[in-house]
């Protein structure tokens, strides 16, 4: 199975900050990577697919980049609604795997 | 509106079984692969099982031989038969529309394995 490693595990930030989360894969994914946002007690919500494609309805302050084994999710200006946990997920090789999550907390 | 609604969770003793269901609406269910993803209390997301539009099935090593995914396209319903349950299977189980990335998720059903 492909292993996914996110960093950091926790991130403290303020409203308006630029936030970057990194996801590394144990082998090349090409661009077959997605990002999700999850709030407590809720299902995950798709933000980004194919590494950099923004899901319909997701605010443009979210962006994704990268290919191969290293990817980033960037929130350009953190909003109160963005405090949540974020997961990356590979879909290059069946047996989809997720990163362990990055919790974005209020500083 | 595209919607997935899970049911069938509950409290079960170790070694027991359940059948989870996921009713789909708002899209042509038979055209899409589907997956089950679980989340243990306080933990991250774990893909469990997937089924292609034509019925090919895939399971994570952690559940292989104990869980069985299936679908009934005439009822637009996805199933997960979970057998030989262990304490570590305790989790919220989500179904998701699976195009590789998962763009539609249900609200989840909770499975608790405890004596």
């Amino acid at each position: 199975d492909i292993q996914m490693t996110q960093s950091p595990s926790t991130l403290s930030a303020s409203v308006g900050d630029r936030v970057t989360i990194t996801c590394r894969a144990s082998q090349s994914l090409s661009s077959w990577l997605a990002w999700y946002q999850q709030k407590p007690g809720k299902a995950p919500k798709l933000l980004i697919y194919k590494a950099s494609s923004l899901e319909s309805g997701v605010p443009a302050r979210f962006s994704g980049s990268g290919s191969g084994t290293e990817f980033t999710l960037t929130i350009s200006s953190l909003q109160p609604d963005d405090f949540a946990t974020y997961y990356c997920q590979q879909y290059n090789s069946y047996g989809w795997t997720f990163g362990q999550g990055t919790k974005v907390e209020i500083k | 509106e595209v919607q997935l609604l899970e049911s069938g969770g509950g409290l079960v003793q170790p070694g027991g079984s359940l059948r989870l269901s996921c009713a789909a609406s708002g899209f042509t269910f038979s055209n899409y692969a589907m997956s089950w993803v679980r989340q243990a209390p306080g933990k991250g997301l774990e893909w469990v099982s997937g089924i292609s539009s034509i019925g090919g099935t895939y399971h994570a090593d952690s559940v292989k031989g104990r869980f069985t995914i299936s679908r009934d396209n005439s009822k637009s319903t996805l199933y997960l038969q979970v057998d030989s349950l262990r304490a570590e299977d305790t989790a919220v189980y989500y179904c998701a529309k699976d195009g590789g990335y998962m763009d539609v998720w249900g609200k989840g059903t909770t499975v608790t394995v405890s004596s």
Side-chain angles (χ1 to χ4, degrees):
Chain A
D1 286 359
I2 298 175
Q3 307 304 314
M4 305 298 295
T5 304
Q6 284 181 237
S7 60
S9 295
T10 307
L11 188 160
S12 296
S14 301
V15 172
D17 284 354
R18 181 181 182 88
V19 166
T20 298
I21 299 168
T22 298
C23 180
R24 291 186 173 86
S26 60
Q27 62 190 73
S28 179
L29 306 180
S30 183
S31 295
W32 304 120
L33 184 104
W35 290 96
Y36 302 87
Q37 176 193 68
Q38 188 181 33
K39 296 181 179 179
K42 300 294 187 182
K45 173 187 173 183
L46 177 68
L47 299 175
I48 302 283
Y49 61 95
K50 207 175 177 185
S52 60
S53 295
L54 192 69
E55 172 69 349
S56 176
V58 174
R61 63 181 180 272
F62 291 93
S63 64
S65 64
S67 65
T69 62
E70 187 154 337
F71 302 85
T72 58
L73 173 70
T74 299
I75 309 172
S76 60
S77 177
L78 197 65
Q79 298 302 300
D81 191 47
D82 302 338
F83 292 96
T85 300
Y86 295 84
Y87 295 92
C88 61
Q89 177 234 328
Q90 67 82 18
Y91 55 102
N92 177 75
S93 171
Y94 221 144
W96 310 146
T97 44
F98 291 87
Q100 80 279 16
T102 296
K103 186 175 182 180
V104 177
E105 297 181 327
I106 300 172
K107 191 171 185 178
Chain B
E1 181 190 3
V2 176
Q3 199 167 1
L4 297 171
L5 185 62
E6 303 95 335
S7 60
L11 174 63
V12 60
Q13 293 188 337
S17 298
L18 286 172
R19 188 171 85 153
L20 310 183
S21 299
C22 170
S25 59
F27 66 101
T28 305
F29 178 76
S30 59
N31 287 353
Y32 293 94
M34 300 291 294
S35 276
W36 289 95
V37 175
R38 69 183 179 183
Q39 187 168 38
K43 302 298 185 182
L45 300 170
E46 180 188 17
W47 174 84
V48 172
S49 300
I51 186 166
S52 72
S53 59
I54 57 172
T57 61
Y58 310 86
H59 297 277
D61 288 345
S62 58
V63 306
K64 208 168 286 185
R66 300 188 299 121
F67 290 12
T68 304
I69 190 172
S70 62
R71 65 191 299 159
D72 185 336
N73 289 338
S74 69
K75 296 182 178 179
S76 296
T77 301
L78 177 72
Y79 301 102
L80 187 68
Q81 178 69 37
V82 296
D83 297 322
S84 303
L85 282 163
R86 307 167 180 168
E88 56 264 35
D89 297 318
T90 293
V92 176
Y93 285 73
Y94 297 101
C95 67
K97 178 171 161 280
D98 184 355
Y101 57 88
M102 285 166 271
D103 59 342
V104 182
W105 295 68
K107 295 183 187 300
T109 188
T110 300
V111 173
T112 303
V113 185
S114 174
S115 54

